[in-house]
Amino acid sequence: MLDNNQKLETNVFNSVVGFKEAVLKKTEMESKGSTFVEEKGLVRQTIHRLHPKRLKLRVEKIRIDTLSTKTLVLCSVDGKKLPPFQSGQYINLFVSLAGVLTARPYSISSSSKNLDSYELTIKRAEGGFVSPYLLDEVEVGNEFESTGPMGSFHHNPLFHGMDLVFLAGGSGIAPAMSMLKSFLASTDPVRFHIIYSNSFENDVIFIDELRALAKTNSHFILTEFLSREVSPEYQGYHGRLNVDTLKTLLPNAPSEMYYVCGPTPFNEHCAELLSNLGVKSGRILIESNGPPNKPENLEGWPKSVLPSLEVNIKVGNHNSFKAKAGEPLLNSLERNGYFTENACRSGECSLCRVKLKTGEVFSPEEAKIRKSDKKFGWIHSCVAFPVTDVEIQL
């Protein structure tokens, strides 16, 4: 006989997907005298299938979104379903260019309900190394290696609730589109408001699709902002996001959950605006799109150091090389033939950690360096800028 506590515990576990089936299978195997040796390794195989370290992907389709943006539709090389992901997550796409092995994280813009393909919406980065190649040279049939889906930037219904606001800047709309498609395909009572800011009217990603979905779904709201010139037909807001406008758009601001994704200055601006509206930091989830483009404009950058300053990088007992202070350390390492595991390239995942033995680096706030790392000299190379000669250990 089960006591009350055991009955309560059983009822709780019964609500877990797969629990009842697992208990029935265990009971059946025990009745046949199994020692469960045939189950050895199945858990590891399941984990690898759901969370693989590497994927082999093939470009099945290329869609032109705007003058500066394309979407690559990627399927598994073996034709199987791709691993599941949470809308808002990214994969890290590995690319070999001019003898340099590098990678870039791209948010998946397709619905998490569709595992036949991942869609990566890629915008040309000014002075970029990888995006021009992906936009100008990649063709249908090309194959790539990537990580599995990663990242903590996604909706958690238990903690985030169902009243959600997404502030997107430019290509930061990619994870928002994935969330939107997933919400619309579910029965959850999600109220989703996308506040979408762009510079130029003819370069707004997904705008026709977003407007159409806003017209046909009462629980989805789209608010548009343009900072540059607009046509007479444009019906959104003109200018940058500001406190007064957000007060009008978000009358219950402190009670909603916020997702923010765009360039670093946009993210910082949105965080400040939301704070001024009384939104607590725990209700703001920010996804950075890589390292800051102009680190010299951030608080803490040594004023006497120009981003063009050339410094000396020594890697352990290996040869030294020259790098610019304004370039992320990870980028300069890759250009000179050194590889270290990486994923987010924005300071969150910590996979690219290296040990700083001598010298100084500038690490912006987004680096999220842990106390233990600071104590023992570990830095996140993807957002570490060498402002003096340095010696590191991979």
Side-chain angles (χ1 to χ4, degrees):
M1 295 288 292
L2 297 176
D3 61 28
N4 290 335
N5 288 336
Q6 289 173 317
K7 289 180 180 178
L8 178 61
E9 184 176 327
T10 300
N11 288 335
V12 170
F13 283 126
N14 281 338
S15 65
V16 176
V17 175
F19 176 75
K20 292 180 180 179
E21 293 79 1
V23 171
L24 288 174
K25 183 176 180 180
K26 175 176 177 291
T27 302
E28 180 184 354
M29 294 179 70
E30 287 175 336
S31 68
K32 295 179 180 179
S34 173
T35 61
F36 304 102
V37 66
E38 63 267 40
E39 298 289 302
K40 186 175 181 180
L42 292 182
V43 172
R44 184 184 302 109
Q45 293 175 24
T46 301
I47 291 174
H48 177 72
R49 177 173 56 83
L50 295 175
H51 305 286
K53 289 186 177 180
R54 292 290 187 271
L55 294 173
K56 297 289 186 180
L57 303 172
R58 178 185 294 115
V59 179
E60 292 294 316
K61 183 179 179 181
I62 300 175
R63 185 175 67 241
I64 299 175
D65 297 308
T66 73
L67 296 173
S68 67
T69 309
K70 290 182 179 179
T71 292
L72 304 184
V73 181
L74 302 170
C75 300
S76 174
V77 168
D78 60 16
K80 296 180 180 179
K81 292 281 187 180
L82 291 166
F85 67 96
Q86 299 276 13
S87 290
Q89 290 188 306
Y90 65 89
I91 60 172
N92 200 31
L93 198 68
F94 293 92
V95 179
S96 183
L97 290 175
V100 176
L101 176 61
T102 185
R104 293 294 184 273
Y106 292 107
S107 295
I108 303 171
S109 58
S110 49
S111 171
S112 60
K113 309 294 182 183
N114 173 26
L115 298 181
D116 292 326
S117 63
Y118 294 155
E119 295 186 7
L120 305 185
T121 300
I122 301 167
K123 187 179 179 70
R124 189 181 302 275
E126 184 180 349
F129 180 54
V130 174
S131 65
Y133 164 72
L134 295 177
L135 293 174
D136 301 333
E137 299 184 39
V138 169
E139 300 176 345
V140 170
N142 287 171
E143 295 184 0
F144 291 93
E145 186 175 62
S146 79
T147 64
M150 307 177 73
S152 58
F153 187 78
H154 56 81
H155 177 233
N156 184 324
L158 185 62
F159 296 102
H160 298 176
M162 297 295 175
D163 200 0
L164 315 173
V165 179
F166 198 116
L167 283 76
S171 60
I173 194 63
M177 180 57 79
S178 179
M179 289 185 183
L180 174 61
K181 290 178 179 178
S182 299
F183 293 151
L184 294 180
S186 74
T187 57
D188 295 332
V190 176
R191 179 183 177 274
F192 198 42
H193 185 175
I194 294 180
I195 300 175
Y196 191 14
S197 180
N198 286 275
S199 296
F200 299 98
E201 191 171 359
N202 65 348
D203 197 26
V204 182
I205 309 168
F206 301 136
I207 191 58
D208 292 334
E209 186 176 2
L210 287 166
R211 287 172 178 170
L213 290 172
K215 285 182 179 180
T216 56
N217 295 276
S218 60
H219 50 293
F220 167 50
I221 300 172
L222 173 66
T223 302
E224 302 174 42
F225 278 80
L226 285 176
S227 61
R228 303 296 179 90
E229 296 82 5
V230 297
S231 67
E233 294 78 22
Y234 175 69
Q235 298 180 2
Y237 288 88
H238 188 203
R240 298 184 69 200
L241 293 174
N242 58 76
V243 170
D244 291 336
T245 305
L246 286 185
K247 280 182 180 179
T248 303
L249 295 173
L250 307 168
N252 301 312
S255 64
E256 297 177 302
M257 178 68 196
Y258 297 87
Y259 307 91
V260 181
C261 185
T264 299
F266 174 84
N267 294 346
E268 293 175 347
H269 180 60
C270 288
E272 182 181 357
L273 293 177
L274 292 175
S275 177
N276 290 337
L277 290 177
V279 180
K280 294 182 178 180
S281 60
R283 287 189 170 273
I284 306 172
L285 203 58
I286 297 177
E287 178 79 322
S288 297
N289 280 336
N293 291 328
K294 296 183 178 181
E296 68 273 15
N297 293 337
L298 300 179
E299 183 177 353
W301 178 273
K303 300 302 181 184
S304 60
V305 176
L306 295 175
S308 58
L309 173 70
E310 282 200 340
V311 297
N312 194 58
I313 311 294
K314 184 178 181 183
V315 184
N317 295 323
H318 300 284
N319 293 331
S320 301
F321 62 86
K322 295 289 185 181
K324 292 184 178 180
E327 179 182 39
L329 182 58
L330 177 59
N331 291 28
S332 60
L333 284 168
E334 290 173 338
R335 284 193 301 100
N336 287 276
Y338 297 96
F339 177 81
T340 181
E341 190 68 36
N342 65 89
C344 73
R345 298 184 85 97
S346 59
E348 181 183 28
C349 72
S350 79
L351 287 175
C352 68
R353 289 191 312 160
V354 298
K355 192 159 190 175
L356 181 65
K357 300 181 73 174
T358 62
E360 296 181 14
V361 300
F362 168 73
S363 296
E365 187 176 344
E366 68 183 70
K368 297 181 177 65
I369 299 176
R370 295 171 293 194
K371 290 183 179 179
S372 58
D373 289 339
K374 292 180 180 179
K375 181 178 180 180
F376 296 104
W378 292 94
I379 58 175
H380 296 176
S381 61
C382 67
V383 286
F385 298 86
V387 293
T388 69
D389 293 344
V390 299
E391 181 182 356
I392 61 170
Q393 178 181 324
L394 299 181

